[in-house]
C-alpha cells in the first residue's frame, strides 16, 4: 500500500473516531439530562406500569447503543495503533497474509481480514 493510500485510511479512521466520540458525548449528555429531569420530579419513578416499561426499554436501548459504539471505537483505535506502529504491515490480511484491497479498507478502514478470509471465518462461526 502506498503512502497516499495509508494517509487516506488514516484520515478515514480519525474521522470515524471523531464521529463516534461525538455520538458518545451526545449519549452522555442525554443520560445526564434524563437523570437531572428525574431528580427535578417529586419521584423518579413513573406512576403507570406502562410508563415504567417504556422508560426501562429506552434506558436499555441507550445503554446497548453506547456499548456498541464503544466496541466500534475500540476497533477504530486498534486500527489506528496498527497503522501508526507498523504502516508497512497495515492492510495485510491477518489470515492469509495477502494485501487487503484498498476498496475494502476504504469501505471498512478497520478491517483486519480480506473478504475471503472474513467470509470463511463467519461460515465457521455459523457452523
Amino acid at each position: 500500500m502506498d503512502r497516499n493510500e495509508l494517509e487516506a485510511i488514516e484520515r478515514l479512521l480519525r474521522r470515524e473516531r471523531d464521529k463516534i466520540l461525538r455520538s458518545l458525548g451526545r449519549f452522555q449528555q442525554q443520560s445526564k439530562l434524563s437523570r437531572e429531569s428525574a431528580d427535578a420530579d417529586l419521584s423518579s419513578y413513573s406512576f403507570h406500569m406502562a410508563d415504567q416499561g417504556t422508560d426501562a426499554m429506552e434506558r436499555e436501548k441507550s445503554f446497548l447503543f453506547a456499548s456498541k459504539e464503544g466496541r466500534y471505537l475500540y476497533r477504530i483505535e486498534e486500527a489506528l495503533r496498527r497503522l501508526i506502529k507498523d504502516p508497512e504491515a497495515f492492510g495485510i490480511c491477518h489470515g492469509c497474509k495477502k494485501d487487503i484491497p484498498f476498496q475494502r479498507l476504504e469501505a471498512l478502514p478497520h478491517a483486519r481480514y480480506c473478504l475471503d478470509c472474513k467470509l470463511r471465518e463467519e461460515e465457521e462461526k455459523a457452523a
Side-chain angles (χ1 to χ4, degrees):
M1 190 175 295
D2 70 14
R3 187 71 194 147
N4 290 335
E5 290 175 333
L6 287 172
E7 288 173 359
I9 297 299
E10 183 177 357
R11 280 192 303 274
L12 285 171
L13 287 166
R14 290 185 187 278
R15 195 175 313 134
E16 278 297 304
R17 182 183 63 184
D18 292 343
K19 187 173 84 172
I20 295 167
L21 290 172
R22 281 193 307 272
S23 180
L24 287 171
R26 282 192 301 274
F27 166 74
Q28 185 177 13
Q29 285 179 331
Q30 289 172 348
S31 306
K32 184 179 177 187
L33 289 174
S34 297
R35 284 192 307 271
E36 288 173 356
S37 69
D39 290 343
D41 292 339
L42 294 175
S43 172
S44 62
Y45 296 102
S46 300
F47 291 110
H48 193 274
M49 285 175 40
D51 291 336
Q52 289 175 348
T54 301
D55 293 346
M57 184 184 71
E58 290 300 319
R59 279 193 304 274
E60 183 69 20
K61 280 185 354 187
S62 294
F63 288 126
L64 287 173
F65 166 76
S67 177
K68 181 180 176 185
E69 290 292 296
R71 286 189 303 271
Y72 185 51
L73 178 61
Y74 175 80
R75 287 193 299 270
I76 295 293
E77 291 276 345
E78 194 266 335
L80 273 168
R81 280 190 295 274
R82 284 187 287 124
L83 177 63
I84 291 168
K85 181 181 175 186
D86 192 5
E88 292 81 27
F90 189 84
I92 300 202
C93 178
H94 288 203
C96 65
K97 306 299 182 203
K98 295 179 184 174
D99 286 343
I100 299 172
F102 180 72
Q103 292 82 7
R104 175 160 169 75
L105 289 171
E106 200 171 29
L108 194 69
H110 63 279
R112 295 182 307 142
Y113 297 99
C114 68
L115 193 56
D116 292 336
C117 288
K118 186 62 177 177
L119 289 173
R120 194 175 316 118
E121 176 191 34
E122 289 178 2
E123 287 173 359
E124 289 172 2
K125 283 183 183 178

